[in-house]
Structure formats: structure tokens, C-alpha cells
Amino acid sequence: MPDPHRPTTDFESIPVIDVSTLADPGGPSAECVDQLGEAAQGVGFLLIVNHGVADETFRAMHEASQRFFSQPDAVKQEVYIGNSTNHRGYVPIGEEVFAGATPDLKEAYDLSIDLPADHPEYLAGNPLLGPNQWPELPGFEEAVMTYYDEVFTLGSRLLAAFARYLDIDPATFLGSVTQPPSQLRLIHYPYNPDAEDRPGIGAHTDYEALTLLKPTAPGLEVMNGRGEWIEVPYREDAIVVNIGDLLEVWTNGAFVATSHRVRKVSRERYSYPLFFTVDYDTVVAPLTFPGSNSATYEPMHAGEHLFAQTAQSFAYLRRRIADGDLALPEGARPLYSLGRESSLVGESQ
């Protein structure tokens, strides 16, 4: 059971957890649930192994990603994210800027649940729901969506396990996961022989409920409560999981989003995070569970929070706001205003 008064500032390493029982018909083992919950509470980051995402699924997606990014810039720009009204497509170098950081030397391709162009949410102008913007690259869509589906299933199982740790009915969480704009990012850090050993992506928390990350090389660091950077070990067989803003609010701080960053390295690197979130119109409010404190967070509209944070991070959306074509939701939080180390975000840059 969680102890909301337990100090969470002294972790020195990232736990590695075997989650092979997550898919069991009767649910995960008590040991697995306890290890997951304790890691979410005490660190906010964990590595999971025996997670059920097939090696061949990852290899096919990674190969498709490499083929996409190896194309000329002009070809990639045909699916530029700025052509989209629901934030899907190619993100060129310099498009994304984090709080306290210079533009990052990375490129990305962003996608999410692939809804048809005649879907009511898309037609109504929802800024995060609708069709993906697919490149004309044979086999790309199939390989990427197969990976998306497998990791999304894993995310649902993890969310249910976290609920069990808090003695909450898993349906309380999963009932809001029917058509969420959970985003998969294919991120490419090109080879840069002049890279300096300093932060790449600025220190930040993630906006959603959970992040499930599969990198191809080391470089990720997590900040503990003393402001110290702890390296996340790289394992080919592991998926990195961390708590996001929404789950921090939902659990009333029992789980806390932890600031992290990517260091700049000279080698070429790929990173594949799935940002697992809930349905756009879900109002996330602090839950009551055994051992919980009285509510210390205001309820949060999940989709509006995600969109507001995204709109403040991407140049094309900032331009639309400046031109008056787009507006932030009322009461939008500044970037990275949640998380255990939110007051330290932007330092050590």
C-alpha cells in the first residue's frame, strides 16, 4: 500500500521490474503490482522487462522509421506536421522547443490513434483527434501501427496494475481509455560529431498519464528530489516507463511526474516514446483511496492540458496562436508547471 508521506527525494538508481505476469488472465502477481507501485511512488521512472512487446514488432517499426528519416528533407516535408489540423506528421529539426532550452537537433514523426477523416471529433475541429498523415512509403503504416497497438495494450495493463496498487478498481482508469489521443513519436537524433556533453531535450515532465519509451542508445537522465541527475540505464530488452502529469493529478500526488532530459551525444540515436493518455474530454480529478491525503490538485481537463502544453512547444502552433488562428484553452498551465522538480525545470541547462 502507498504511503503518501514517504520521502521521494533520495533515489539513486532506476528499478528494473519483470512484468511477465501483466498479461495473466487473473491479473498480475501481487509482487509485480507492488514493485510497479513502489517504483511509481518513489522514483516515477522504471525499466520493465518481459513486457510482451515482440522483438520482431519493434525491429519492423525501427526499420520503417530508419527508411523514413533517410529520405530527402523535401520528401519528409510532404507530411510536415504544420499541414495537419490535429498534430500529425513530420517534425523537422528546430520545430520543437522545450522550456529553458534551445531548439533541439532532432527530427520526429508524430502519430496517434488513426480515426477516419469523417469522424465527428475531427470534423468538429478537435485539435488532437483524427487521421494520421501517412508518408508514401511501402509498409511504413503497417509496421508502425502494429507497434503502436502492442505498446498501447501494454500501457493499458500497466495503468490497471497501478490502480490495483492503490486499491482502486482498474475500471476507474480504463473506463476513460476508449479513444484517447495517445501519441507515438518516432524520434531521430542524427549523427553530430560536434555535439557537446550538455542537455539535449531540456528538463521536463510528460503531459500524459504514462510514457512507454523504447530507445536505441543511452542518453536519458532523471532528476531526483535533490536536483541530482541520475542516468537511466540502457537495456535492449527493456521499455522505460515514467509517470506523467495526468497520473500525478489523478493519484493526488501518490505518483509524481519526474523531470528528465536527454543528453546530447555525437552518435546517431533513435527514440520511440508512446505517450499514453486518456480520452480527450476526461476530467481528471484527485481520487480518494486508502492512505490518500485530502485533495491538493485542481481537476484537469485531460485533452485541453495536453493540447495547451503541445501548443506552447511547437513553432507552427505558436505561429497560429500569434496570428489569432488558434487560442490556448482557458486556464492553460505554463509549460512544466507540474512534477516533483517543477521548480527546478530550466536549471542546469
Side-chain angles (χ1 to χ4, degrees), residues 14-15 19 36 39-40 43-49 51 154-155 158-159 162 206 209-214 220 222 232 238-244 247 274:
I14 310 301
V19 295
L36 288 170
V43 181
F45 263 76
L46 52 146
L47 274 70
I48 59 172
V49 295
H51 42 68
L154 175 60
L158 285 168
L159 196 61
F162 287 133
D206 292 338
L210 298 172
T211 301
L212 295 89
L213 168 69
K214 183 75 171 174
L220 182 63
V222 179
V232 177
I239 288 177
V240 182
V241 177
N242 65 275
I243 304 302
L247 201 53
L274 175 73

Side-chain angles (χ1 to χ4, degrees), residues 81-300:
I81 198 165
N83 299 335
S84 169
T85 61
N86 58 317
H87 198 62
R88 312 290 175 86
Y90 175 63
V91 181
I93 291 174
E95 179 70 35
E96 186 179 7
V97 180
F98 282 83
T102 55
D104 220 33
L105 293 179
K106 74 176 192 300
E107 56 183 344
Y109 174 86
D110 293 358
L111 66 134
S112 186
I113 180 173
D114 199 11
L115 301 177
D118 61 356
H119 193 278
E121 290 277 5
Y122 181 64
L123 295 176
N126 188 296
L128 296 176
L129 290 171
N132 288 322
Q133 190 179 187
W134 294 111
E136 294 184 6
L137 196 62
F140 180 86
E141 177 181 349
E142 294 78 8
V144 170
M145 286 308 298
T146 298
Y147 181 79
Y148 182 97
D149 291 342
E150 289 193 17
V151 180
F152 184 88
T153 297
L154 175 60
S156 297
R157 290 169 176 164
L158 285 168
L159 196 61
F162 287 133
R164 289 187 172 97
Y165 177 74
L166 299 173
D167 277 350
I168 295 172
D169 184 347
T172 303
F173 287 158
L174 296 182
S176 297
V177 182
T178 64
Q179 195 171 265
S182 298
Q183 182 187 60
L184 175 64
R185 306 199 73 195
L186 317 182
I187 303 174
H188 176 223
Y189 298 85
Y191 171 67
N192 179 14
D194 300 320
E196 299 177 7
D197 186 21
R198 58 188 178 88
I201 293 181
H204 65 285
T205 62
D206 292 338
Y207 321 139
E208 300 82 358
L210 298 172
T211 301
L212 295 89
L213 168 69
K214 183 75 171 174
T216 63
L220 182 63
E221 295 181 328
V222 179
M223 185 188 289
N224 66 17
R226 295 192 297 269
E228 300 166 340
W229 289 106
I230 307 298
E231 183 177 1
V232 177
Y234 172 68
R235 286 184 53 157
E236 288 188 1
D237 62 338
I239 288 177
V240 182
V241 177
N242 65 275
I243 304 302
D245 292 349
L246 292 183
L247 201 53
E248 173 183 334
V249 172
W250 227 350
T251 64
N252 196 32
F255 300 157
V256 186
T258 305
S259 296
H260 51 284
R261 68 183 183 185
V262 177
R263 298 201 67 83
K264 287 187 176 178
V265 294
S266 61
R267 65 182 297 181
E268 183 179 36
R269 180 177 183 271
Y270 291 84
S271 180
Y272 302 110
L274 175 73
F275 298 104
F276 189 97
T277 192
V278 296
D279 296 338
Y280 187 90
D281 286 323
T282 301
V283 176
V284 173
L287 294 170
T288 300
F289 48 86
S292 64
N293 293 319
S294 57
T296 57
Y297 293 82
E298 293 293 325
M300 177 185 294

Side-chain angles (χ1 to χ4, degrees), residues 32-43:
C32 178
V33 169
D34 285 346
Q35 288 179 345
L36 288 170
E38 289 168 5
Q41 181 184 45
V43 181

Side-chain angles (χ1 to χ4, degrees), residues 293-331:
N293 293 319
S294 57
T296 57
Y297 293 82
E298 293 293 325
M300 177 185 294
H301 186 287
E304 289 183 355
H305 173 65
L306 174 56
F307 173 66
Q309 298 289 288
T310 302
Q312 294 175 79
S313 302
F314 283 79
Y316 86 95
L317 291 172
R318 288 180 171 182
R319 289 194 296 269
R320 290 180 185 176
I321 292 171
D323 293 341
D325 298 328
L326 193 66
L328 291 175
E330 184 177 351

Side-chain angles (χ1 to χ4, degrees), residues 60-70 137 140 144 186-188 270 272:
M61 181 276 297
H62 180 48
E63 189 273 336
S65 175
Q66 289 174 304
R67 285 192 291 122
F68 173 78
F69 288 117
S70 68
L137 196 62
F140 180 86
V144 170
L186 317 182
I187 303 174
H188 176 223
Y270 291 84
Y272 302 110

